Amino acid sequence: MKNCMIGILLSFWVAVSPAFYFHSGEREEKCIIEDIPGDTLITGSYKVQQWDTHEQVFLESAPGLGMFVTITAPTKELLLSKLYGPQATFSFTSHSPGEYNICLQSNSTKLISFGGSRLRIHLDIRVGENFFDEAIAQAKDKVNEVNFRLGHLIQQIDHISKEQSYHREREEYFRLTSEETNSNILWWALAQTLILILVGVWQIKSLRDFFIAKKLV
């Protein structure tokens, strides 16, 4: 039962990381922000399609086009800056938790121009994924296959544990921030009330002194 629950959890974990695509202009930089826990392997793969102005469709490939991939850590440290082809896979490891910027910018590798045509970029970001299928394909017998499966399962459990710890830290941070904000609002409300009381007392005293000076009371 326990193994079944772990399998369901891992299946759900993979399912919540869907691929997507977006459009970009020639040499236009597009960035996404990924909130990633520390000590986690991130693997990304992309494929670029070029818009055909004659056929009015996106071609399956974009020959002569490269993609410049830049990864920036929350500390503004540059983790990756490399030129790839129209279809490639990149990976990096997060050393600290936080928001990582993943930027892609088209760049012609054959010094040709696409006339400002549109590009469709398919991007798939995997957090905590390993090349498990390739390892299984290279297994020579059932024992190695079982060892690979167990190793992959342990790595996935470790990653899920890190992810849960990271979310707990974020929840604790937001809770403290919320409590501090509520506390500041309370003190500000008390300060406003005190100021209104002091202003009221001062006005009453000023009116009383005015009436006494005019001998109205």
Side-chain angles (χ1 to χ4, degrees):
M1 181 65 181
K2 184 178 180 181
N3 293 335
C4 180
M5 291 300 296
I6 292 175
I8 294 174
L9 182 59
L10 291 180
S11 299
F12 173 77
W13 180 256
V14 174
V16 295
S17 301
F20 63 95
Y21 72 84
F22 55 90
H23 293 147
S24 176
E26 182 189 356
R27 301 183 185 277
E28 180 183 2
E29 186 179 54
K30 293 285 188 177
C31 298
I32 64 170
I33 298 176
E34 282 286 334
D35 200 358
I36 302 171
D39 298 325
T40 303
L41 175 66
I42 296 89
T43 304
S45 59
Y46 69 86
K47 176 183 177 181
V48 182
Q49 291 181 288
Q50 179 189 351
W51 176 255
D52 191 331
T53 55
H54 300 290
E55 298 293 336
Q56 296 295 304
V57 294
F58 281 99
L59 302 176
E60 285 300 318
S61 62
L65 183 69
M67 292 299 295
F68 199 73
V69 180
T70 304
I71 311 294
T72 307
T75 57
K76 305 304 179 183
E77 177 187 0
L78 188 62
L79 299 180
L80 177 65
S81 181
K82 187 176 179 180
L83 180 64
Y84 294 89
Q87 183 174 355
T89 299
F90 59 90
S91 62
F92 65 96
T93 301
S94 61
H95 300 293
S96 60
E99 295 181 343
Y100 286 75
N101 290 319
I102 303 175
C103 300
L104 292 90
Q105 183 180 17
S106 61
N107 182 26
S108 173
T109 58
K110 291 185 179 180
L111 301 178
I112 60 176
S113 175
F114 295 104
S117 64
R118 289 187 300 153
L119 301 173
R120 174 177 288 178
I121 304 173
H122 299 263
L123 181 62
D124 186 13
I125 302 294
R126 296 286 178 175
V127 179
E129 290 282 328
N130 291 319
F131 297 102
F132 174 67
D133 294 335
E134 295 182 7
I136 290 296
Q138 296 173 0
K140 296 181 179 180
D141 50 39
K142 286 295 183 180
V143 175
N144 287 336
E145 182 178 345
V146 172
N147 288 334
F148 279 126
R149 288 183 181 274
L150 289 176
H152 183 264
L153 182 61
I154 292 172
Q155 290 177 357
Q156 290 286 27
I157 293 175
D158 182 61
H159 171 69
I160 293 174
S161 177
K162 290 180 181 179
E163 184 76 14
Q164 291 176 337
S165 299
Y166 175 61
H167 284 300
R168 282 196 295 268
E169 292 176 0
R170 293 299 298 268
E171 289 175 0
E172 179 69 14
Y173 170 76
F174 285 122
R175 185 182 66 81
L176 293 176
T177 302
S178 178
E179 291 178 355
E180 183 179 357
T181 302
N182 292 334
S183 177
N184 292 335
I185 292 175
L186 176 61
W187 284 110
W188 176 242
L190 291 176
Q192 285 182 316
T193 302
L194 180 60
I195 291 173
L196 289 175
I197 293 174
L198 292 176
V199 170
V201 171
W202 177 78
Q203 287 181 336
I204 292 174
K205 183 177 183 304
S206 297
L207 288 174
R208 180 173 177 278
D209 293 340
F210 174 77
F211 289 149
I212 293 175
K214 296 297 182 179
K215 298 182 179 180
L216 297 178
V217 292

